[in-house]
Amino acid sequence: MKNFYRWANGSVVIFIHGAGIEKFLNLVMQEQIEIREICWQNEELVSAKVSWYSLGRLRHLARRSKCRFRVYRKSGLPLFLLRMKRRQALVAGTFLFAAVVYMASFIPLQVEVESPEPLTTVRFEDVISLAAEKGIQPYRSTWFMDFHEAEAHILRGQPALSWVGIHSERGKVIISVVERKMADTEESDLLFGNILAGKDGLVDHILVRRGTAAVEKGSTVTAGQPLVWGNNGQQRLAADAIIQARVWYQGFGECSRVETSYRLTGEAATSFALDNGKGKSLLLWGKKESPYALCHEEAVVYPLVVWGAWRLPISGVITDYAQEEAVQIERSSDDALAEAISRGKMEAQKKVPASAEILNEHIRIIAKGLDLYQVQVTLEVREDIGVFVPLAPEDQVQLELPSEEEGATPTE
Amino acid sequence: MNKKKNPFAAKKQSLRRAMVNALDIPAEVGLDVPKITMTGNYSLTVENHKGIIDYDLDRIRIKIGGGWVEIIGSGLMLETMSREELVIEGEIKALNLETGL
């Protein structure tokens, strides 16, 4: 800290010569001027370090002690700033260079595709060309690239991919892809099994490709009930069918006519602290705790990267405090009912699978008081409910059809 | 002309010392004596000094209350110099003390 203070004040190395060097040093000491590193350079010359600001006062003392001194070297912040003031073009050039390097770091030189496992059905070139359609190209700033949109576009263009992630790293854009695991058709054909109902419902449509239907259109089924048997007479096989059923999902919603909610006022405060990850932190600016009674607090931890993978053992923590205020919302009876229905629908829709088709909705008002409204929303959907369940390994034995000569004897 | 020694100086000093002991005051404050701290043979700190008498590469003489301290060595450097303390660095070979009391 002392060294930093000296650097901030600026230091000067002076060479002193003359008859009364001791007197000069004593006078400097009496004037409470900080002088240090006093050392004989040769038989006549003594060097010493003093602060930049006390240089003017030394001239008077040197005259009194019949000594002379000359400045040998200057260092420290004020002198650096003075030098920079004289070399404005150098400063401007440095900043310009830093700005160009910073801007250049956003321009990727290449686009790469990586996958944790070798791709079988998708080619890297196809992924790159799909990305290029959405502007993911070399020599184009990442500021103008929408990674999320490009990810969605690649997924739409390549259904064989189950996940796509794009990120920029060290001058290149990396597209990470994961191929969908396709069930081995031949292997599944060898497995014998039945199709069971995945959930309760009313069978609406049934199309059997392999196996024997255990239910028919209009049957009410419960979860776990066999829908298609995996056999055809005596021959065991893997049941295959499309079974669509009507399934009902319920959601509950309630809303009061007078409710308290919280909204942001626009007032915000930020603090920055260094954290060592072991519970100790040093607050550099801002306040340690929220200055607001009601607030939304969000802390983001940034690892302090020096260069590449070289990171400091501490991390920076930026905490944002956004002030909130409590607001009372008063609704009319109709608005409160509509809000309760909307909440009920939202809860029910969360349970509905993405592939299901909503056919009907039914709303039942449970409570309709002066203040509180409660509703139950029932959604009727059509969806596939069949689940293929293979037989246990010990049952995976083909039963051959009995021949007329041998009779119906199962063989392994 | 030689300065005459005060015949009561020794008694005055012993009285002061007794008072300092009784009042539990640090000696360097109460008796105006230096406090000399030496680290190995390369660093020496003199607190409560009165200034420099002589300074050479191999000898430094420092004025203290009622006398002087002489440090003999080689490559001696005054690392820090202030009214409160004086830090000397270098190879210290000998230390002479002249109190005159």
Side-chain angles (χ1 to χ4, degrees):
Chain A
M1 200 64 198
K2 205 171 180 181
N3 284 342
F4 175 78
Y5 176 75
R6 283 171 180 167
W7 175 81
N9 277 327
S11 292
V12 179
V13 176
I14 54 169
F15 279 170
I16 314 154
H17 59 95
I21 286 176
E22 288 87 356
K23 190 179 176 185
F24 174 75
L25 294 175
N26 286 330
L27 285 170
V28 169
M29 192 177 63
Q30 277 167 15
E31 288 289 321
Q32 293 195 331
I33 297 169
E34 192 195 0
I35 186 162
R36 60 187 195 276
E37 294 175 38
I38 304 155
C39 186
W40 280 99
Q41 293 297 316
N42 55 43
E43 288 179 358
E44 293 174 351
L45 210 61
V46 170
S47 70
K49 258 188 187 176
V50 289
S51 71
W52 162 249
Y53 293 108
S54 56
L55 203 59
R57 290 158 69 195
L58 287 185
R59 298 198 187 281
H60 167 65
L61 301 177
R63 214 173 298 128
R64 274 175 64 188
S65 56
K66 292 174 184 167
C67 278
R68 301 189 72 154
F69 74 86
R70 64 183 166 86
V71 175
Y72 172 65
R73 198 176 59 230
K74 302 168 185 174
S75 61
L77 182 65
L79 299 148
F80 174 77
L81 292 177
L82 267 178
R83 269 204 298 273
M84 288 304 108
K85 203 176 170 186
R86 284 199 297 268
R87 298 177 176 182
Q88 287 176 358
L90 177 72
V91 176
T94 308
F95 276 103
L96 191 68
F97 176 73
V100 167
V101 169
Y102 179 70
M103 299 285 281
S105 69
F106 289 99
I107 298 172
L109 302 178
Q110 56 179 323
V111 177
E112 279 185 8
V113 181
E114 65 176 27
S115 169
E117 286 176 18
L119 299 181
T120 52
T121 55
V122 181
R123 291 186 311 153
F124 281 179
E125 298 77 33
D126 297 339
V127 175
I128 288 174
S129 65
L130 278 169
E133 286 170 17
K134 286 290 168 188
I136 311 292
Q137 290 169 323
Y139 309 113
R140 188 167 186 262
S141 174
T142 52
W143 288 353
F144 306 113
M145 295 180 187
D146 188 342
F147 288 167
H148 293 298
E149 197 187 329
E151 284 165 10
H153 183 68
I154 294 168
L155 276 176
R156 278 196 299 274
Q158 290 288 347
L161 296 177
S162 63
W163 179 82
V164 176
I166 304 176
H167 68 280
S168 168
E169 185 183 292
R170 293 177 198 166
K172 53 187 173 185
V173 170
I174 296 170
I175 305 172
S176 308
V177 296
V178 177
E179 202 172 22
R180 199 182 295 280
K181 282 274 179 196
M182 306 296 276
D184 193 338
T185 319
E186 290 175 6
E187 194 179 318
S188 83
D189 282 349
L190 290 172
L191 287 172
F192 309 130
N194 308 316
I195 293 178
L196 309 182
K199 49 187 83 174
D200 300 349
L202 178 71
V203 177
D204 201 29
H205 176 79
I206 181 161
L207 175 68
V208 179
R209 291 192 193 118
R210 272 198 308 267
T212 310
V215 292
E216 55 188 17
K217 186 180 174 183
S219 304
T220 306
V221 294
T222 54
Q225 184 179 332
L227 300 177
V228 179
W229 293 111
N231 61 27
N232 189 4
Q234 285 291 313
Q235 188 187 13
R236 284 186 179 179
L237 41 80
D240 185 16
I242 297 171
I243 302 128
Q244 288 191 326
R246 290 181 185 231
V247 182
W248 289 266
Y249 294 93
Q250 286 188 329
F252 175 78
E254 67 174 14
C255 181
S256 297
R257 284 187 61 192
V258 181
E259 275 187 339
T260 304
S261 83
Y262 298 94
R263 72 174 177 198
L264 300 173
T265 62
E267 290 290 319
T270 305
S271 72
F272 181 72
L274 294 176
D275 190 89
N276 70 346
K278 294 172 186 171
K280 279 191 176 178
S281 64
L282 174 70
L283 188 72
L284 293 184
W285 76 74
K287 292 188 175 174
K288 199 170 186 178
E289 288 179 358
S290 169
Y292 311 115
L294 275 176
C295 82
H296 173 75
E297 187 178 325
E298 197 173 304
V300 184
V301 180
Y302 293 96
L304 298 179
V305 180
V306 179
W307 183 263
W310 181 22
R311 293 173 180 209
L312 294 180
I314 52 172
S315 47
V317 182
I318 295 177
T319 312
D320 291 319
Y321 305 102
Q323 193 185 28
E324 287 181 336
E325 62 180 4
V327 184
Q328 268 209 339
I329 301 171
E330 290 186 18
R331 296 185 177 91
S332 65
S333 306
D334 293 343
D335 287 349
L337 182 62
E339 181 64 25
I341 292 169
S342 163
R343 288 175 189 177
K345 268 188 197 175
M346 212 178 288
E347 194 188 310
Q349 277 173 349
K350 276 182 194 168
K351 300 171 189 170
V352 177
S355 58
E357 177 194 359
I358 297 174
L359 302 172
N360 284 313
E361 64 179 39
H362 176 71
I363 296 156
R364 186 167 72 90
I365 298 170
I366 300 169
K368 189 178 179 182
L370 283 173
D371 186 45
L372 186 70
Y373 288 84
Q374 292 180 326
V375 297
Q376 190 180 52
V377 177
T378 307
L379 296 178
E380 184 183 344
V381 306
R382 183 189 288 136
E383 65 174 279
D384 287 327
I385 60 163
V387 180
F388 177 76
V389 180
L391 294 175
E394 58 270 21
D395 295 332
Q396 296 286 338
V397 181
Q398 174 67 54
L399 292 174
E400 286 186 0
L401 284 171
S403 62
E404 283 179 5
E405 295 83 22
E406 293 171 355
T409 309
T411 53
E412 287 190 18
Chain B
M1 202 173 143
N2 285 343
K3 198 179 170 182
K4 264 192 176 180
K5 269 193 176 179
N6 185 355
F8 300 105
K11 272 193 177 179
K12 202 173 162 185
Q13 187 67 14
S14 65
L15 190 68
R16 264 191 193 173
R17 206 171 294 155
M19 279 185 72
V20 162
N21 284 340
L23 296 171
D24 208 14
I25 300 168
E28 66 268 24
V29 179
L31 298 175
D32 192 27
V33 289
K35 183 180 177 182
I36 301 171
T37 314
M38 197 164 164
T39 311
N41 70 334
Y42 56 86
S43 177
L44 186 130
T45 306
V46 184
E47 288 174 59
N48 204 20
H49 67 94
K50 305 283 180 194
I52 294 170
I53 302 169
D54 286 321
Y55 173 42
D56 254 322
L57 211 54
D58 49 8
R59 191 181 77 127
I60 299 175
R61 216 140 59 96
I62 300 159
K63 195 178 175 189
I64 56 168
W68 45 262
V69 182
E70 187 181 48
I71 298 115
I72 295 164
S74 60
L76 297 177
M77 184 174 88
L78 288 163
E79 177 58 33
T80 311
M81 195 174 160
S82 68
R83 279 173 80 166
E84 292 79 31
E85 67 169 22
L86 213 147
V87 180
I88 296 159
E89 286 189 359
E91 192 189 344
I92 299 164
K93 291 175 181 166
L95 193 71
N96 296 326
L97 191 66
E98 175 61 56
T99 56
L101 290 174

